[in-house]
Each structure stands twice: as structure tokens, then as C-alpha cells.
Amino acid sequence: MRLLLQWSGLRSNTRCSFVMPCAAQTRFLLLYGSQRGQAKAIAEEIAVKASDHGFAAEVSCLSEEEKYNLERERSPVVIVVSTTGDGDPPDTAINFVKKIKTKTLCSVHFAHLHYALLGLGDSNYSNFCNCGKTIDKRLRELGAQQFYASGYADDGVGLELVVEPWIEGLWDALRKFVTSAMSTSQKDTNSHVGDHNAKNEMGTIESAVTDLNLHLLSLNESSSQDESSGSCNTVAEGELLEASLTRSVLPLSESSLNIPALPAAFLDVELLNELQQDSTLLKPPEAAHQVVITSAKQLTREDAVKTTLLLEMDISETQLIYEPGDSFDLLCPNNNSEVEELLLRLGLVEKKHHIVKLQVKPDTKKKVSQLPSYIPEHSSLQYIFMWCLEIRAIPKKAFLRSLVEYTTNEHEKRRLQELCSKQGFADYNHFIRNPSLSILDLLCAFPSCMPTLSVILEHLPKLQPRSYSAASSSYSNPGRVHIVFNIVEFPLCPERPVPRKGVCTGWLSNLVLPILQHSGGQMMLPVAQDASIVLPKVYICSRPSSAFHLPSDTAAPIIMVGPGTGVSPFIGFLQHRKKQKEEHPDVSFGETWLFFGCRHKDRDFIFRDELGLFQAEGTLTHLRVSFSRDQDDSTEEVKPKYVQDNLRLNAQDVVRVLIKENGYIYICGDARNMAKNVHEELIDILSRELQIDKLEAMKVIADLREKKRYLQDIWS
């Protein structure tokens, strides 16, 4: 899964000196669709900047349909929307997308509408910015006209590379549109001018994107050169000075800096009386259900590179229902020792049990400001840091800019300014973004920085639940659900001198330690009834999939690609199919192919015995496995190393299943490498086997996606 990082804010040098000549500010409608708050934050930044340029933004979420009406809208419309999952709209945009995709709408339904769109995505996912592109395409199909070319920002390399220049250009585009609209009342002329401006702006943004790509390329080349040379400057003969988190080198150390505008403070924080009861117990949302973890098993050997756990949860006392392919959100706290250390660093550890009272500053200059909805009233300071704030979030540049104001050491202040500046982009990525530093890491590295509690609460985003695919079928295991995960490890590095585990996986691994069974090749058994063992409990929420399910037609063949823990949902698929075959012996069932991969056959081949049983009884027709670290260099035989290698070896069957027999392909696992490599391999397979060029092969895959026969459950 699947989520974008918190937006970092706009540059201070984006302000334009030109202001609209009319006394009243010109209105435009600003809509956003956000899953985790990213698009919303950018929309709010646009709204704040609008008044500086003579405009007034009327901001609404796409889900707030009662607040806007595009059918009657005559002012310019700006849309900021993210993409979630496998190219899906965020929850707040689902109804909007469905509405505009209604087939009965005519081609001039939005002929009166003039819009600009900014899409957010992550190029680690193959369906990059799909929601934004879908909205853009459909609006144009319904007659709407762009007054400014669409921008698509990539969180894989840094949203600001596209977002900042796109917003900088927005004001001139709005100004040109408003001027042209006022200069004539003739509809045809307006349409012509609007098209002309749109083309001009399209050229401008394409040039900007080209410049950005060249800039990125130069940064990458510069970065490579830095790595090869040690990223250092010569200070004296035989002595080298290397850049680090806390120290820059030439030319950055002597550069003039363009830093972001200081974010407006908007929270007043007051610590009230101390709570007497336990202040760390979770106050769950209404949609959450408390369930018991009845069993826990380690699936990998002790010498495996990654430790994989399988948990069974009892959902029989809840109203939760699920299908194989669905996921569950698990609510988890931050690491207690990290919370204590952060509170100690902020000088608040003695106040951790005190109730926190929040109010919006009456004199705040932040135009779109509200209390964080994820912080409940009457919560203690410790509770807020434990359950509400993502204290591991990578601090964004706007956060760094605020930290500058609370740093007394001039050297440290300058370095924070560099890291949040345009010129310090490469250093920010290398020393903060890439190693995934947290606010605690930064405060430890910059000891003279002492931010207030209000600054921390204003910048740290909501602690998100972690999503896990169901590795079981309720049809086969009623009242139970299994989840599988690797314990995430963050090794120590120069910027983070202590190793850490993943927020949720580290917490879960400690939680189930008393009931943990080690791999023995057998299906997981219930924990023996021991009065001294208290079964752990967690809160979960159902997260149904829109499409990642078995085909309704049981005769349709399926291909499943799931290396590592990516095999999890397919265990549920196979359990479900086995039960179907047992209860409906006269029904026709299609072939089932599974492509699995891991490092070592004897260390981390999870579900090895179960898959063997599925294959022996005919539930799994074909099993193809690959082991990337078990290659024998002493023999000439070349064994498949990755799942895409086995796909290539079975190319004819892959094409037969997908093209000739109208089958389905499901891909689950890592988006950054595996899913991309599989996608590229499938293009090569289709091109080679069907004797078509790669562009036509890509169109075939796009058609499979459109028909929901190419489905992904991937994460980065």
C-alpha cells in the first residue's frame, strides 16, 4: 500500500509582484480529493497563496457535493487529487469519479467548464496518477476546457519537483483566463482564446517538465559523482571534508538560498490537569473492532534474511466479513521508548499525563485552519504521541523551515536552512528522505533546536493504520482471518545511529512473543490453553477490495504472481477454491497458476507444505518457484532467479491463459521492483508471442486493466 507522504509546503520566492487590478479578489473553485491528507494540504497551500495574487479560492472536498455544482460553475476550477491502491481514486473522490463517468452524459455536458488539474502519484506504481488522468480525460470528453495544462507530481522522486513550478505558473494562467474572459462576451471568441491560452500554457508546462527532467538528471549525475568521490571537499592537503546530515560542503555551504516561506502557526496548546487513569489506552474509532490473536507462527528459519510471521485473529464475535483479496487495517501505537525519548527531548516528559487542550489561534494567518480531527478531546500528551501522531514521518521542508526558528546555534540554523532550500534538494534527499529520518533523529542531530509543542502538533501527520492482506478464506476458515508480514528492519546508519523495527510489525512481533510458534512445516495450530497466557488483542477495520477477488466465473483460468509475503492473498484464493471444489464437484474450474519466489528454498519458502498440498489435490494446477540466492555457479544450468524469469519460461502458457482463454492475472508484492519488472516482462512476452510491437503490447495490457483482468495489490 500505498500511501503518499505529507506535503512539504511552497517556496517563499513563488510570490508574484503583480496583483489583480480590481478591488475585489477574483473567485475560483478549488476542489481536492485526498486519501491521507496530502492533496488536501496542497489545496490549502494554494488557497493561502491565492490572496497574494489577487484571487479568492473557495475550497471544497470532492465528496462535499452540496458545496459546489460543476454543472453551473462559471468560475475557473482547480482540482488537486491523489491516487491510491492500484490506480484507484481516494475515498473522497470515488463518488465524483463515478458521477462524471456516467455513460448517459453528453459530450457538451461540461462545455462551459474551464479547469486545471494537479495529480499526485508515485511512479513506483505502474498505474501512476491514474485518478488524476481519469478525471482529466473524462472532463475533456464531456467538453470541459483546460485553461492550464495538467501537472502530475511523483512522490517517488519528490512531489515538489512538479508541484512548486505548477503552482508558480497557475497564477499567470488564471490571470490570462480571467482577462480573456472579460475582454469579450462572444462565446466563440472566448472558446478560441481559451484554447489558444491552453495551448500556450501546455507548451510552458511541457518546457518546465523538460527542464525538471534535465535538472533531475543533472542531480543524479551529480549525486553519482559525489558518491564516487566521497562527497567531499578538500580543506587542506591530505584532509577531506565530507558532507553529512549536520554539515554541508561547497558549493552549497556558500550558496545563496531560496527557502520555503515560514508556515503560519495556527494552534494554541495548553496543558491542563493530570489524568489519574491509564492515559495510553486506545480510544478506537467506531469502525474498529477489537479481536483476539489466537495463534502466531514464524514461517521463516532463524537464519533467513527477513523474519516472516503469520497471525490468526478471531473475528467470530464481530460483524466483520471478508473475501480473499480483501485487506484489514490494523491500528498500532508508536514505539513506547521512542515516545518517551521524544518527550524527554522536548522537555515534556514530566507533563506526559497532562490533558492537552487545543484551540485554533484567533489571529492565525493560515486561512484554512482547523483542529486536527485525529486528536481526541481530553487526551493526555502521552496518548497523543502514542496513538495519534506519525512520529516516524519523514520531516518535510516546511517542518524544517519551522525548526529553523527554534534553533539557536548559527551553524545548525544554517544547515537546516540548506536542507529545506531549493539548492539543498540533493542533500535533503540523501540525508533525510532516503534514510527515512524522523523528527527525533533530527532533534538528536541538532541539539540547539527546541521547538514548541504547538509546532510539533502542527507538522506531524496522523498516525495511519497499517494494511495487511487477508491470507485466508472465511469460506474455509469461518470466524478467523490470517495475516502475514515481514518484521521491517531499519538498520543503523550515520544519520540514524540506532536500528529500529517497523512501527506496526515491531509492535506486533513483541505483542505475540508469548504465543509465538516457530516454523515446523505444519499448518498453524491454536495456542494451548494455558491459564498463565493472556491472548493479545488488537483493533482492526475491514478494508474491502474493489476488484482484487477471484473471478465470478469459476471456469476462468487465473495466474497469480506473488513472491515473498506477496503470496498471502493467494493462500486465501486457494483455500476458497478448494472449498468450492469440495462442495460443487460438478462445477467446472479453470487452471490456477502460481509464480512464487524467495531468496532461499530452505530458509524462507513460506507456505511450502500448504502449496504442495494444494498442488497434490489439484486445487493449484501449476506451481513455479524461483530462488534468487540459491544459484549454483558450479553448473552450467541457469535456473530462474526471479518470478519474471519463470514467466518468461512459461510465456506460451501465459499468453494462452490471458489472451486465448480470457484469463486473469493477479500481482501482489513489492511495487518498486517486482511489480515493475513483471509488468515489463509481460510486455515483452506479449510482443514476442503475438508478434506485435511493444506499443501494441502495452495497449493489450491496458485493455486487460480496463476489463479488471490485470489486477495488482502492491506496496512500496
Side-chain angles (χ1 to χ4, degrees), residues 16 18-30 45-59 75-78 147 167-179 182 367:
C16 177
F18 180 87
V19 179
M20 293 297 291
C22 52
Q25 291 183 322
T26 305
R27 171 191 174 275
F28 69 92
L29 179 63
L30 178 55
E45 289 287 354
I46 293 174
V48 169
K49 293 291 182 183
S51 62
D52 292 343
H53 296 272
F55 295 98
E58 185 176 302
V59 186
S75 296
V77 178
V78 177
F147 70 85
I167 294 176
E168 285 181 21
L170 175 63
W171 312 119
D172 278 342
L174 277 168
R175 196 170 296 114
K176 289 177 182 178
F177 171 76
V178 172
T179 302
M182 294 173 62
K367 296 191 176 181

Side-chain angles (χ1 to χ4, degrees), residues 400-474:
L400 299 186
R401 176 64 185 87
S402 292
L403 294 180
V404 169
E405 303 303 302
Y406 299 92
T407 304
T408 56
N409 180 278
E410 290 302 319
H411 171 77
E412 293 179 7
K413 179 178 289 190
R414 164 70 190 193
R415 185 52 175 156
L416 287 172
Q417 289 173 332
E418 291 170 348
L419 289 168
C420 71
S421 71
K422 184 177 182 180
Q423 292 74 16
F425 169 78
D427 274 22
Y428 172 81
N429 277 352
H430 185 74
F431 297 113
I432 296 180
R433 181 186 174 93
N434 295 345
S436 299
L437 296 197
S438 68
I439 180 60
L440 178 57
D441 298 321
L442 283 185
L443 292 179
C444 290
F446 297 91
S448 78
C449 181
M450 286 295 295
T452 61
L453 177 57
S454 60
V455 169
I456 299 295
L457 298 183
E458 286 170 355
H459 287 279
L460 284 180
K462 176 185 178 182
L463 176 61
Q464 298 288 349
R466 271 47 175 178
S467 184
Y468 298 96
S469 300
S472 56
S473 165
S474 59

Side-chain angles (χ1 to χ4, degrees), residues 312-359:
E312 179 183 81
M313 296 179 288
D314 182 355
I315 61 172
S316 60
E317 300 299 319
T318 73
Q319 301 299 313
L320 291 170
I321 56 174
Y322 72 97
E323 295 181 53
D326 288 343
S327 300
F328 287 88
D329 283 345
L330 198 148
L331 280 63
C332 61
N334 287 305
N335 180 275
N336 184 62
S337 62
E338 285 180 54
V339 170
E340 289 289 313
E341 189 175 352
L342 181 55
L343 289 174
L344 180 64
R345 177 63 180 79
L346 294 171
L348 295 169
V349 71
E350 295 182 358
K351 302 284 187 179
K352 65 182 181 180
H353 297 303
H354 286 247
I355 295 174
V356 177
K357 181 181 179 181
L358 299 179
Q359 289 183 313

Side-chain angles (χ1 to χ4, degrees), residues 216-237:
L216 257 182
L217 182 61
S218 68
L219 283 175
N220 289 336
E221 292 174 348
S222 173
S223 176
S224 299
Q225 292 170 2
D226 285 346
E227 290 175 5
S228 63
S229 64
S231 298
C232 55
N233 286 162
T234 303
V235 248
E237 187 175 355

